[in-house]
Amino acid sequence: MRSFWGGMSWPVRLIAAALLVSPWPLGSWYTGPRTLVYLLVVFAAYLLVRPYAVSRSQLPAGDGGGTPAGPPGRCRGVDLYGPDLWVALPLVMTLSRLWTVAPSRTYEQALLWWAAFLLYVCISRSPGEGATGRLGWVLGGLGAALGLYTLYEYWCLPASFPAARTSGPFTYPNSYAAYLLALAWTSTGLAGDSRGARYALAVASASVLVASFVYTGSRGGMLIVPLTVVLFLWLAPDRRRAARSLALSALGGAAVFLVLLVLQPAARGLSVSAHARSLVVAGERLVTVTGSTSWAGRLQFWRCGVGAFLASPWLGLGAGSYQEVATAFQISPEFFARYLHNDYLQFLSELGMVGGGAVLAGLAGTAWAVYRLGTCRRVQEDARRGGHLVAGAVAGAAAIVAHSAVDLDLQFPAVVLLLFTLLGVAVRGAPGAAVVCRIAVPPGWARVPARVGPVVLPLLLLAAVVVGVRPYAGLVARQRAESALEDGRLVLALQRAAIARAVMPGHPRTALLLGHVLRQMDLQDPAGRDRSYWRGRALDAVLAGARANPYEPYLEDLAGSLLLEAGNVPAALVHLERAVTLFRWEPRFRLHLALAYDAAGQKRRAIEELAFLLSHRADFSSTVSASDAELEAVFREAAHLLALLTGPP
């Protein structure tokens, strides 16, 4: 093991370490420490300049992305690979900061994609032979570890397959299935290039990953398997050996799957016929697509995405913004999600036609490189040198790209990093086949990154720490303020909410919390001030938050409620009507709007709102995250107000 790691250049070791820890902290936007994403940007930036520290005159043709050194003073060529066109997407994400409605999420998305793209660049242009193969084995080890962890997770589940599905560190089985499938293809490619004990290890890793993939129960993942099989066999230099490795991996995965299915503690005592019925149910679920609930839900989500795209078709609302505006485009109460379950439609809705063009450029460049690799694999030296690992990396990347059309894979940082790592492995293994064009640059330009790097990297590190730590500091302050508010310590809650707003200005939840705290000061005024003073401060804070977050319905509702309490009924109606427009299925918004209509003397419209609220009680209860007691209080107050409005004068 020491010789294995010692034979790797330290940049490859750093990439391997990042990959080994990426699935757990980066599995989900909700649980992962985003600081690691920003630190990866710094690491990737240094990895980007590290290959240029080697003199270009020492590199052979096609090694490291350049051409042989020419006479002094003459321009040299730098190869532009097909997947390099993905740089357009993080560039558009960065520019969308100028018009985004969700600044913090735009920062996160842009930095993630820059980190992933820089990792791809440093892998695809790393000098020296053998680095790609070592990185492939690191991916194989990662796959084996994840597969064993997933099988252990299934072993501990209280139910058997297909009622129980594994989701690993992602907390979402479908995107985790794409991640596992991509790693399974990498291990299968390693098996095609290996002999003896290494061949057995690669097949074992692929088998464990195949079994884990099946236990996720992902219908979309199963449906894209034939596409990736065809692609892998088309690109493989030796199709017979590739087919043998693929067959052994599939049979090994089926054996592991069946053994664990029978021996799982939750399934012990079940007859063979019961297990057979479970497998039949799983097979029926696989072939039943158009009539399923998940398909109907996705159609609704995609219609919502089209509505978001039409709201700003050219530039969109900013990277990562759909989560903030999802309630404004919700069509029915039965289906609601803050992701569109189609990453390309989500990019289109968030970044408009400009972002859609950037994604199309990246896909087209990658497809062109794959086509060239497949058509010249038997006649080009680079393609023969790439071997089966290149075919497995391309098949794994294709699995992620295809599955992203029906799910939210590219919203998970670990999946994005793995996708660009596989693209880098494929390009590094066969650079000649992936070249789109060659750009002539002066020889001195190649040394610029190495000279600028020592100055820029400390600044990038400082920026990464600042950008990464600020959200955590604001989150901690906000959580402590919420805890103090629940305990009735209003002064302490106000102090901590003010700190949270200072650390994260413009954040919607921070503005909402500060408004609630200041509103509570109406009931308890420790400074002896007039209650209107606290109401005015609350209104100022909430209106500032609403201006910074124009698609946040809860801020609009709170602003309308404060204005209604202050007696400004016309302004209150404007904010409350907008809150209902942004989120039609929130019962509290409807009740507050009915109260405002009643205060404005519009009795008929108040009755209509209350009648709609009470007639759709079940729909409202299924779409909001409020306690049963709170919802019951809302409906009880609505029924009481409706009885007063419709009763005798």
Side-chain angles (χ1 to χ4, degrees):
M1 179 60 70
R2 182 175 180 180
S3 61
F4 170 73
W5 284 96
M8 299 171 65
S9 60
W10 81 262
V12 178
R13 276 182 274 176
L14 185 57
I15 298 171
L19 286 170
L20 285 173
V21 302
S22 66
W24 275 273
L26 298 179
S28 172
W29 279 116
Y30 304 107
T31 60
R34 297 172 176 84
T35 306
L36 185 56
V37 177
Y38 309 135
L39 294 179
L40 278 175
V41 176
V42 180
F43 294 150
Y46 192 86
L47 291 172
L48 174 65
V49 303
R50 180 63 179 85
Y52 290 96
V54 181
S55 174
R56 282 304 196 236
S57 61
Q58 300 174 5
L59 298 181
D63 199 357
T67 58
R74 300 186 61 180
C75 292
R76 306 177 184 181
V78 174
D79 292 335
L80 177 66
Y81 302 131
D84 291 354
L85 297 179
W86 278 107
V87 70
L89 183 57
L91 181 61
V92 173
M93 287 181 172
T94 304
L95 293 177
S96 71
R97 175 61 181 84
L98 300 175
W99 61 81
T100 182
V101 299
S104 60
R105 295 190 184 277
T106 301
Y107 277 129
E108 293 167 1
Q109 289 277 21
L111 286 176
L112 165 66
W113 281 82
W114 277 120
F117 181 76
L118 291 177
L119 283 174
Y120 153 77
V121 169
C122 70
I123 295 172
S124 62
R125 289 159 172 81
S126 59
E129 297 293 338
T132 302
R134 295 188 186 99
L135 184 56
W137 279 104
V138 171
L139 291 174
L142 168 66
L146 275 179
L148 293 174
Y149 168 79
T150 307
L151 296 180
Y152 173 76
E153 180 188 19
Y154 175 75
W155 178 271
C156 299
L157 290 177
S160 182
F161 184 82
R165 302 170 60 188
T166 56
S167 58
F170 283 24
T171 68
Y172 183 64
N174 292 337
S175 294
Y176 187 51
Y179 193 87
L180 292 174
L181 183 59
L183 289 174
W185 279 118
T186 305
S187 296
T188 305
L190 285 172
D193 289 337
S194 304
R195 300 291 187 276
R198 288 194 171 190
Y199 179 81
L201 289 174
V203 170
S205 174
S207 301
V208 170
L209 284 165
V210 169
S212 304
F213 166 73
V214 175
Y215 276 125
T216 61
S218 173
R219 181 167 22 208
M222 292 290 184
L223 293 177
I224 65 172
V225 168
L227 170 66
T228 55
V229 169
V230 172
L231 187 61
F232 175 72
L233 294 178
W234 179 51
L235 296 177
D238 187 347
R239 289 176 179 167
R240 180 175 299 178
R241 183 171 181 82
R244 183 166 60 250
S245 301
L246 178 59
L248 288 176
S249 300
L251 291 175
V256 173
F257 170 78
L258 293 175
V259 169
L260 194 61
L261 183 70
V262 175
L263 298 181
Q264 184 202 19
R268 289 177 184 173
L270 296 179
S271 61
V272 176
S273 59
H275 286 297
R277 284 195 299 271
S278 299
L279 296 179
V280 169
V281 171
E284 291 176 349
R285 181 181 180 275
L286 176 63
V287 299
T288 306
V289 177
T290 57
S292 63
T293 305
S294 61
W295 176 254
R298 278 170 170 76
L299 289 179
Q300 290 283 358
F301 301 152
W302 297 344
R303 289 175 60 192
C304 298
V306 171
F309 166 71
L310 295 177
S312 182
W314 293 107
L315 297 178
L317 299 173
S321 62
Y322 185 78
Q323 299 178 61
E324 303 294 336
V325 304
T327 56
F329 302 100
Q330 182 181 1
I331 296 176
S332 65
E334 293 84 8
F335 300 104
F336 172 72
R338 296 193 177 273
Y339 297 99
L340 292 176
H341 289 72
N342 183 326
D343 285 318
Y344 308 112
L345 180 58
Q346 184 138 349
F347 286 137
L348 198 63
S349 65
E350 294 178 349
L351 300 172
M353 295 293 292
V354 176
V359 174
L360 184 61
L363 291 175
T366 304
W368 174 251
V370 172
Y371 172 76
R372 288 200 60 196
L373 177 63
T375 54
C376 65
R377 75 184 197 287
R378 296 191 180 279
V379 296
Q380 187 161 336
E381 181 64 26
D382 286 333
R384 290 199 299 271
R385 185 183 66 187
H388 298 82
L389 176 59
V390 172
V394 173
I400 295 176
V401 170
H403 193 261
S404 297
V406 293
D407 236 303
L408 46 97
D409 301 345
L410 300 182
Q411 306 302 318
F412 290 87
V415 179
V416 177
L417 291 173
L418 179 62
L419 170 63
F420 280 90
T421 299
L422 294 177
L423 291 177
V425 169
V427 171
R428 185 64 188 86
V435 173
V436 174
C437 65
R438 180 162 294 169
I439 304 174
V441 298
W445 286 25
R447 301 185 182 91
V448 170
R451 295 174 179 175
V452 176
V455 179
V456 174
L457 286 178
L459 299 178
L460 285 176
L461 179 60
L462 179 62
V465 172
V466 171
V467 175
V469 169
R470 280 183 58 191
Y472 288 104
L475 176 63
V476 171
R478 190 176 72 237
Q479 290 176 342
R480 293 184 176 180
E482 292 172 349
S483 176
L485 180 61
E486 292 177 358
D487 296 339
R489 296 177 293 175
L490 297 182
V491 176
L492 182 60
L494 180 60
Q495 294 172 350
R496 291 175 174 174
I499 294 174
R501 186 179 65 169
V503 174
M504 300 179 64
H507 194 279
R509 289 191 60 184
T510 302
L512 190 65
L513 173 63
L514 185 59
H516 280 301
V517 173
L518 290 170
R519 190 183 188 187
Q520 290 297 318
M521 300 298 266
D522 283 350
L523 305 177
Q524 178 182 345
D525 186 7
R529 294 187 178 93
D530 183 27
R531 289 176 56 185
S532 61
Y533 168 80
W534 298 110
R535 187 184 297 119
R537 287 190 60 186
L539 188 58
D540 292 340
V542 173
L543 290 177
R547 286 191 296 268
N549 303 273
Y551 284 87
E552 177 53 54
Y554 288 94
L555 283 172
E556 297 287 347
D557 175 71
L558 182 56
S561 300
L562 290 171
L563 288 169
L564 184 61
E565 293 174 0
N568 192 348
V569 178
L573 280 174
V574 172
H575 287 278
L576 291 173
E577 286 175 348
R578 178 162 176 78
V580 172
T581 302
L582 293 175
F583 195 3
R584 295 184 299 166
W585 305 104
E586 168 58 75
R588 287 161 289 197
F589 296 175
R590 297 277 183 175
L591 177 60
H592 298 163
L593 182 58
L595 291 172
Y597 281 141
D598 183 35
Q602 303 180 29
K603 182 177 178 180
R604 182 180 60 83
R605 301 192 66 175
I607 293 174
E608 290 176 354
E609 286 294 333
L610 294 171
F612 181 87
L613 172 60
L614 294 174
S615 62
H616 292 78
R617 180 170 182 168
D619 295 336
F620 283 114
S621 300
S622 63
T623 57
V624 297
S625 57
S627 63
D628 294 337
E630 187 176 353
L631 286 176
E632 285 298 326
V634 171
F635 292 125
R636 188 164 53 249
E637 184 177 354
H640 177 68
L641 181 58
L642 181 62
L644 292 177
L645 293 175
T646 57

